[in-house]
Amino acid sequence: IAVCWNPLCASVYAEGLENGIKMNTIFSDHMVLQRDKKVEIYGETAAGASVKVTFKGQEKTCTADSDGIFSVYLDEMEADAQGSVLTVTSGSSRLDFSDVLVGEVYYGSGQSNMAYPFEEHTYAESVIKNDPSYGEDYEKYNNQPSYLENYKRYGKYHLLRFYMQKMMPETNGVNNKGVQNTWLEAESVEDLNYVSVTAVAYGVHLSEKLGDIPVGIAVAAVGGSQIHEWISPDSAAEIFPGSGNSTLSQRYTDMLVPMGRFTCRGILWYQGESDVYGDLETYRDCFTAWTEDTRSFFGNGDLPIILFQLPQYEDSGCKGLWAPFRQLQEELVTENDNVYLVCGIDLGDHTNIHPLEKWEFCERAAGLALEYIYGEEYGGSGSYGKSPAVSGLYRKKGTKRVYMRFDGASEISVSEGITRGLIATTNRQSYAEIDRFEQVDSDTIAFDTGLKYIGYLQNNIFGYDTAFIYNEYGLPVGPFADREVTSYDFDVTLTLEGCETDGFERYFAMDGEEISFRIIPEEGYELDSFTINGEERPFGDGSAVLEIREDTSLVCRFRPAETQPPESSDSDSGSGADASDGDSEISSSENTESIFSGSGGGCGSATVPSIAFGLLSLFGTIALEGKRRK
């Protein structure tokens, strides 16, 4: 084996190529090249030699430098599932790479949950299914289909390619198995026995969500590895000066560098189980270093990273440790640009650190990528975007009722089960469990406590009968810790029938606060009644600005429009609204000066603008994206 440590061509070469063309093992038959980007093809040959690279009608040439290093860039290409030949020639030497596809390419790294192949997961499943001592996991595994069923049903493995980097050195009794250091093709899941389940699951879902395009994923991961093993020697020297720890940068040096860089779309990072026992601030420093080192290695400082949040698991040594680590992962996403967290808090096993639910986890990861990496609209199937997060907690002065609202959710729902997981504290030292919560609006959860700070899902594991909160895309609300409750003065509620609002159905208002919204009838509906605190009000153009001085209940009802005789249409047009205008101004009255007459029951006066888009909240103006459904 010949090794070149040049930063451009840090490669392991097959013996016998020293006098010809030398290229990284990441270049092989069946590889996938990144679509819509200039793709670098590089290697080493004789100093000063002319090099030619041809692929799909492109021909690129260059001259190797004085060290024999060469590099060319192929022009941007569209996705192509038809295999082609990529040829590199230098003098009398020639390398042909066959069955090369064009599509989406990712690098996957981390520890065992990124590395573990189908063989290991299948073995774990069989053990748990046959051992009642696994308790809840035994019951769970025996009451659900095998995790393999989804993979067996998938019928387009010809679109997917996988590269497994050889683990160096072998540790913890885990041996290298199967074909490594080359791109693999497959006809079915049976051909992927030694390939990362996480990589396969992500590849399947991403390809489907993007319209069945090729996906290639290269994996360099090691079970039990800690993050300090994957940072560069320079970063290790800065974070751990004088440590003498032989594992520092070990995987970076022995696995990532020899594999070689390649043009890719993003990174998958599933790691942390081995670091929950250590110092979280050190992990924070290492993660920042890892993002910078890995992006630098691949030559793209903005490379997107999908971070897998640790799901459920607990053993005797990690009680209470996973929840703070999940919270740290939430913080890492806000502290590092272009890093996206996929939440699996409702997934995972209680006693198996390698859960089988990679299919579900990676479906969410692909849905997150669809919105934030590819900027595509929701395709109407499965997950999309990131999990909802709590945006505010509100409690009316003098009461114990707390309302919880979310970002990333137009609608929320609570699954079947026991509503648990909420805790509260005032001193952040002792915590009280909140017995239950309930859904009170399409986007609001309510519960009772008089304490100041709220946390959610702050244990390692939860009973399998736990009810979780989901958004309209089936994504769970993520864990959070010690969020402060905001006090407010008055409740404002909207009851809507046959219409919807571009705001909320419930507001938590301070005395004198202004709230604006617009009510939009369903197509073919006409106004039946519009009341505020039980008094009929003119509907105007459907927009309203309320200055809140008391609890306020607004009720708006629309009914299916009756067919009108043609001759009566002119006489009924006093509202000045065009009913065929969809979301445009729809009115049942010419009175657009005010929705109040007189004092309006102590609510003050409010004018009706032509369009009120947005709302004034406790903290100022919030821009709304689209409509919030009733």
Side-chain angles (χ1 to χ4, degrees), residues 175-194:
N175 300 316
N176 286 296
K177 295 181 180 180
V179 177
Q180 296 169 324
N181 291 6
T182 189
W183 286 93
L184 303 176
E185 59 172 342
E187 295 182 0
S188 69
V189 70
E190 283 79 9
D191 299 325
L192 299 171
N193 204 29
Y194 300 106

Side-chain angles (χ1 to χ4, degrees), residues 92 105 124 145 266 362 364 393 462 469 531 534 545 576 583:
S92 60
V105 186
C362 289
R364 295 174 184 179
L393 294 155
F462 312 92
I469 307 168
T531 65
V545 178
D583 286 353

